[in-house]
């Protein structure tokens, strides 16, 4: 006598776990990616439109943010009131003064936000944040 057993059904391959992994990877890469700086893409050629008639700012201030969160201008440390006063003096000379902020790689983000807030309160409208990367 021979017993016949049913053959078990073949396992179906489900795509749901793969889709879950792909969504997690998509979110991870979106969060960790660096966004394109759109200022580096010219919208007009220099010979066209208002781009050629706009004068570049005459005065530029570069403020460095050290690893401990202190700001310095030309090597001199700045307190918050001194920074506001210096920015207001520069804006009195030239309203189109450009502020360039160079944070250290290990500077706290709060120091950068506080500096940008103080600059906006002082009336700075032309502000850039530079990020330098070491070459291998």
């Amino acid at each position: 006598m021979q017993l016949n057993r049913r053959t078990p059904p073949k396992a179906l391959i489900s795509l749901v776990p793969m889709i879950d992994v792909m969504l997690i990877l998509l979110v991870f890469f979106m969060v960790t990616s660096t966004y394109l700086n759109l200022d580096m893409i010219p919208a007009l050629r220099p010979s066209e439109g208002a781009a050629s008639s706009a004068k570049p700012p005459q005065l530029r201030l570069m403020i460095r943010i050290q690893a401990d969160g202190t700001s310095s201008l030309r090597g001199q440390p700045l307190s918050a009131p001194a920074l506001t006063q210096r920015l207001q003096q520069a804006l009195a000379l030239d309203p189109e003064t450009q502020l360039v902020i160079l944070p250290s790689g290990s500077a706290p983000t709060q120091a950068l936000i506080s500096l940008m807030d103080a600059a906006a309160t002082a009336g700075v409208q032309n502000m850039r944040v530079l990020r330098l990367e070491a070459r291998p």
Side-chain angles (χ1 to χ4, degrees):
M1 181 166 176
Q2 189 175 13
L3 295 174
N4 290 332
R5 291 187 182 176
R6 261 195 214 173
T7 58
K10 291 187 177 184
L12 297 174
I13 297 176
S14 176
L15 295 179
V16 174
M18 184 183 73
I19 293 171
D20 290 344
V21 169
M22 294 302 291
L23 285 175
I24 290 171
L25 288 174
L26 176 67
V27 169
F28 173 78
F29 287 123
M30 285 174 55
V31 169
T32 60
S33 67
T34 315
Y35 296 107
L36 177 66
N37 182 4
L38 295 179
D39 290 335
M40 61 193 278
I41 301 173
L44 295 174
R45 292 187 196 131
S47 61
E48 294 177 342
S52 61
S53 64
K55 67 177 182 92
Q58 297 296 324
L59 187 58
R60 281 195 183 108
L61 297 175
M62 184 169 77
I63 297 180
R64 293 179 184 257
I65 302 176
Q66 307 301 328
D68 60 353
T70 60
S71 340
S72 63
L73 175 67
R74 295 185 181 127
Q76 301 295 323
L78 290 174
S79 63
L83 170 68
T84 304
Q85 180 184 13
R86 181 67 180 109
L87 290 173
Q88 288 173 347
Q89 289 172 353
L91 287 171
L93 293 174
D94 183 11
E96 296 295 321
T97 298
Q98 183 179 30
L99 175 63
V100 178
I101 303 172
L102 179 63
S104 166
S106 56
T109 306
Q110 184 59 48
L112 174 63
I113 299 300
S114 299
L115 179 66
M116 291 174 68
D117 187 43
T121 303
V124 175
Q125 295 184 5
N126 192 357
M127 187 180 342
R128 304 254 177 182
V129 178
L130 294 180
R131 186 180 83 185
L132 300 179
E133 296 179 5
R135 295 187 184 249

